[in-house]
Amino acid sequence: MKIGELAKLTGLSASRIRFYESAGLLQAVARKANGYRDYPVETAAVLEIIDSAQRAGFSLEQIRHLLPLGNGRWDHDELRRALEARIIEIDVLMKRLKQSKAQLLVAIESIEDRPDGIDCADNRMRVLDRLRGQGVVSSPRKARET
């Protein structure tokens, strides 16, 4: 199929498909006499895998190692290890995001509940004390000890 048909089928732009091919994620395809690329139908499935892997946060280099080997067979052990490693990375990221959200919510609440007449420097210390009290920000002493 032509690249335009493949783009329409997958929802990816033709330039993105050409990029994946130039990056070595897609096998180079034969060209017809008129110069048009002639992609096999299976290319759509490979593009879906690449797109899904990118959405899951895999780099193009990581994706290159996840794709089926030249004979179309998967290295299941390598694939499983890569997927499990990505899950661990996502868990770490989710934990950091949860901490960041908690910090921001405490900061917003502290700003909204600012006592009348308190100057900026005192309010800053008050906000930091609240963040430390809720375990969102480590105290300077704990930071130095670790």
Side-chain angles (χ1 to χ4, degrees), residues 85-101:
R86 185 64 189 142
I87 288 171
I88 291 169
E89 292 169 6
I90 289 170
D91 287 341
V92 169
L93 180 59
M94 287 174 60
K95 183 178 177 183
R96 276 197 312 239
L97 289 171
K98 185 177 179 181
Q99 290 170 337
S100 294
K101 180 180 177 180

Side-chain angles (χ1 to χ4, degrees), residues 4 9 28 36 38-40 43 49 58 63 66 91 94 101 107 124 143:
L9 181 64
Y36 290 133
D38 186 22
Y39 291 94
T43 306
I49 292 167
F58 287 96
I63 294 169
L66 296 178
D91 287 341
M94 287 174 60
K101 180 180 177 180
R124 180 181 66 230

